[in-house]
Every structure is written in C-alpha cells, then in structure tokens.
Amino acid sequence: MSTSERRAHGAGAGRTTASAPTGATAATPPTTTTTAPPGATRMLVLATVGFLVNFWAWALISPLGSAYRDRLDLTGFQQSVLVAVPVIVGSLGRIPVGALTDRIGARVMFPVVSLLTVLPVLFIGLVAESFASLIVGGFFLGLGGTTFAIGVPLVNAWYPPARRGTALGLFGIGMGGTAISAFTTVRLTDNLGAEAPFLIVAGVLVLYAAVAAALLRDAPDRTLPQGSFLARTWATAKLPATGQLSFLYAVGFGGFVAFSVYLPTYLGNAFDLSPEDAAFRTAGFVVLAVAMRPVGGALSDRIGPIPVLVASFVGIAVLAALAALELPLMPIGTIAFLGLAALLGASSGATFAVVGRLAPPEKVGAVTGLVGAAGGLGGFVPPLVMGAFYDRLGDYSLGLALLAVVSLGAALFTRGPVARSARADAQGEPHRT
C-alpha cells in the first residue's frame, strides 16, 4: 500500500462520527464515500471463514441435545443447560478476547483461538460420557463463540465508515456455522459414528488456523489502544453507545442464538418432530437469519440503522406473539418462525452498523466484546426460561410471549434513547470515556 493510500485509509478508518459532516448520523447514512484499501476483501473473506468454522464448532452440542437427553436421562432443564453453557462462555469470553484483539491484532488471535477450540471439540467427541463431563467440555467449547469479537475490529479497521455496515453484515454470514452444524451433525453421527462430526470440525479448525497464520493481516493503520485491560474495559463500558447497543444486541442476536441452539429441542417437544427433522428446520431458520444479516447492514448504509432496527423489532414482537399461539407448523407456525429468522438477522446487522460508526477506532474490539457478550447472554437466558416453563407447564407459549414484550420494548428504546444519542453524536459531542 502506498503512503497516500495509507493516509486516505487512516483518515477514513480513524474518523468517528464526532468529526463527521453535519447530518451524518447513526440514523442516516454517512455522506462521505471512500474506497477500501487493497487487501480488504481478502481480509473480510478470511475473517468470515474463521467466524464460520469456529461457530460450527461452537454449535456442535445443540443438534445432539435430544440424543444426550435420551442417553443420559436428562430433564428438560438439564438439556437446556447443556446446550446453553457454550453460549454463556462464548459470550462472556468476547470481552477479554475483544480487548486482546485491540491490543495484539486479529492476525494472532484468529489462529490461536481456532487451535485452542480444537481441544474441547475432541474432548466432547472422544472423551465425555456423562452430563458433568459434557458441561465441562461445553464450557471450553464456548471459546469458539468468542471469534466474533476478533473479526469485527479486523473488518472495521479495513473498511471506511461509509462501507462498514455492509462489510460487517457480510462478516456476519459466519453465523452460518450454526447452520452447518444443524445440517450435518446428526447425519454424520448416524452415518459415520458419534465421533465423526467432532473429528471433521477439529480438522477444519486446524486447517483454518494454518491458512490464517499465513495470510491474515491487520490493517496497516490500525489504531492501538492505550492503558491497562481493566481501565480500557471500564472506559468502554461508560460509553453511552455500549450500554444502548448491548441491550439491542441482546434482543436481536440473543434471539437468534437462543433459537439456533434451542429450536431443535422446542420442535421436538412441542411438535413431536424427529431429531433429524427438527435439525433440518433449525438449519433453515439459521440460513435465513444469516442471509438477512448483510441485508440489515446494507440497508443501514442506505437509509440508516435506526429505521431498520425499529422496523425489525416491531416485526419480531408481532411474529413472536403469533408463535406463542403454537398454531400448527404448516403453514402459520413455519411462516412465523421464518419471519422471526429474517428480522432477527436484519436487526443484528443493523446493530453493528451503529457500532462501526459510533465506536472510537481504538475501542472497536472492546465495544464489540461487551456488545457481543450481551448478545450471547441474551441467547443464554431464553433456553433456560423455556426449559423451566416446559418442565412446569408442559408448554412454551409464555416464553414466546415474553419475547414479544421485550422486542416491543427494544423498538421503543431504539426510537427514543438510541436515536437521541445518534443525533447528539452527529452534533459533535465527544465520546465519553
């Protein structure tokens, strides 16, 4: 990259909305367009593939939830805990992983985390034989879920503000790793043996780590953070955008995660579907949500993320209320769940379009870690709530009704405090630290 190109990229990547032209807000797309530097597309592809293969590993337990329940005689709540443990660890782990990515870069973090994830994958597939050992394996399997906080700051640093919504939305396609798991895990287990999916994923992770170590590069003008981890995390937590976006992501991405890990269990218990049929339908849900994430990001670049978020959350509230009626799957139930998939995916893309615009460049990883942790935690709680309701009431309706209420609250919150913060940022008020 030439000196002039580096300067042009640094001006785009380092600019926050505090110095943006008047009228460029998180509610409206920025008016300045700049070209991404050479190599940006390659880095986006490598980051997306890394996100995908690690999420594939992260989601290995979920499709086998019914099999573990039958084999180990688990209660509904125990089954919920089993599929939710990787989610909470992968969520909370994004905070230190995001901060480390800001400090040492994705070039190091992606290969290291991918290789470390191999260990719990092999432990679960080859060693774990009890509920307790599966919980231990699932705890460390959560490491694969932290790669989201590695990829976002990498992509954000390579792309100028006017293109970050689209770029981060495309990166979000890596969520499709959960769809690969849903499509393949049960079938591989049935056809090749219980160890097969775990051995295959371990091999893919090792291959990706080698490719990433050879080809991945951090942006040449990446802004390095200053201060200790605790000081930077506390300063990031105090940013107004961090708390606001954490709530929105907990609803949007949290809803996606909750459905992706618990939908096989829900469909099996509520509609008596076979594990393979339930896994196949879950994969369809995940694929649609993944496809809509870049759509949400692209729409945010075009019309602004605030309108996209408000429309998505209102639609989620309506469809969750419809799903709470537990009507027959064909056609009403299927329409409701596919609509939820599309809107949850779009809202996730729009949320990180806001992160890409409002987060200071040197804190994108830290903000991503905190917001991503909130999103993962938003996916951890619903399976536990749904499992508890089912054990006590034999029904899931109340859990889906709660999703409708929370989503409506998220729409109002976006239309109020989040929109006001976006307007204040556009007027040149500095980021709070």
Side-chain angles (χ1 to χ4, degrees):
M1 185 184 301
S2 68
T3 301
S4 60
E5 286 173 326
R6 286 197 299 268
R7 287 174 179 169
H9 172 62
R15 185 184 299 118
T16 69
T17 52
S19 60
T22 302
T25 76
T28 58
T31 57
T32 301
T33 57
T34 54
T35 302
T41 300
R42 184 171 68 252
M43 297 307 111
L44 174 59
V45 171
L46 286 169
T48 304
V49 172
F51 183 23
L52 184 143
V53 298
N54 278 277
F55 255 44
W56 181 5
W58 192 41
L60 279 172
I61 290 179
S62 174
L64 300 173
S66 296
Y68 288 131
R69 178 197 62 198
D70 295 340
R71 192 173 81 198
L72 302 175
D73 194 25
L74 305 179
T75 66
F77 184 75
Q78 286 177 316
Q79 185 181 354
S80 299
V81 170
L82 182 60
V83 300
V85 163
V87 174
I88 190 171
V89 177
S91 303
L92 294 176
R94 291 173 187 176
I95 298 173
V97 167
L100 281 171
T101 302
D102 281 340
R103 174 69 70 180
I104 65 177
R107 182 183 183 182
V108 173
M109 292 297 292
F110 254 129
V112 168
V113 171
S114 298
L115 287 175
L116 289 176
T117 303
V118 171
L119 300 178
V121 168
L122 293 177
F123 176 81
I124 294 170
L126 304 179
V127 178
E129 292 290 344
S130 66
F131 177 68
S133 61
L134 285 169
I135 291 295
V136 172
F139 180 90
F140 289 101
L141 188 65
L143 187 63
T146 67
T147 49
F148 177 76
I150 303 174
V152 169
L154 174 70
V155 174
N156 192 80
W158 274 100
Y159 281 85
R163 296 182 58 187
R164 284 179 187 158
T166 301
L168 291 170
L170 290 171
F171 168 71
I173 290 174
M175 296 191 314
T178 58
I180 296 176
S181 180
F183 271 124
T184 63
T185 301
V186 175
R187 293 182 180 182
L188 288 171
T189 299
D190 290 344
N191 295 328
L192 300 177
E195 300 86 0
F198 300 93
L199 293 173
I200 290 171
V201 171
V204 172
L205 284 168
V206 171
L207 177 62
Y208 172 75
V211 172
L215 301 179
L216 201 63
R217 298 291 182 270
D218 292 303
D221 292 327
R222 181 172 67 93
T223 305
L224 295 178
Q226 302 298 319
S228 68
F229 166 72
L230 291 178
R232 287 185 288 115
T233 301
W234 177 242
T236 301
K238 292 192 295 181
L239 292 172
T242 302
Q244 293 172 351
L245 298 176
S246 291
F247 170 65
L248 300 185
Y249 206 56
V251 178
F253 183 72
F256 162 78
V257 171
F259 278 116
S260 67
V261 302
Y262 198 70
L263 200 55
T265 299
Y266 169 82
L267 293 173
N269 291 338
F271 297 99
D272 200 28
L273 298 186
S274 68
E276 185 172 0
D277 191 7
F280 182 80
R281 292 172 187 266
T282 300
F285 178 98
V286 172
V287 167
L288 182 55
V290 168
M292 287 300 295
R293 182 155 181 157
V295 172
L299 285 173
S300 297
D301 282 344
R302 183 174 294 274
I303 65 174
I306 300 299
V308 176
L309 285 167
V310 171
S312 296
F313 287 131
V314 169
I316 291 167
V318 172
L319 293 173
L322 180 61
L325 300 177
E326 293 199 346
L327 300 172
L329 273 181
M330 297 300 295
I332 302 300
T334 298
I335 292 172
F337 281 108
L338 290 179
L340 283 169
L343 294 175
L344 289 167
S347 71
S348 298
T351 300
F352 266 87
V354 182
V355 171
R357 295 181 188 181
L358 297 188
E362 73 280 5
K363 294 180 180 176
V364 170
V367 172
T368 298
L370 290 169
V371 174
L377 290 175
F380 171 75
V381 175
L384 301 182
V385 173
M386 297 285 273
F389 281 150
Y390 186 75
D391 280 347
R392 187 171 183 84
L393 305 175
D395 186 80
Y396 290 112
S397 296
L398 188 55
L400 292 165
L402 286 174
L403 173 60
V405 173
V406 172
S407 298
L408 183 58
L412 296 174
F413 184 72
T414 303
R415 187 68 181 84
V418 177
R420 287 195 295 271
S421 293
R423 289 193 295 269
D425 189 87
Q427 292 169 4
E429 295 182 5
H431 294 284
R432 293 182 204 165
T433 57

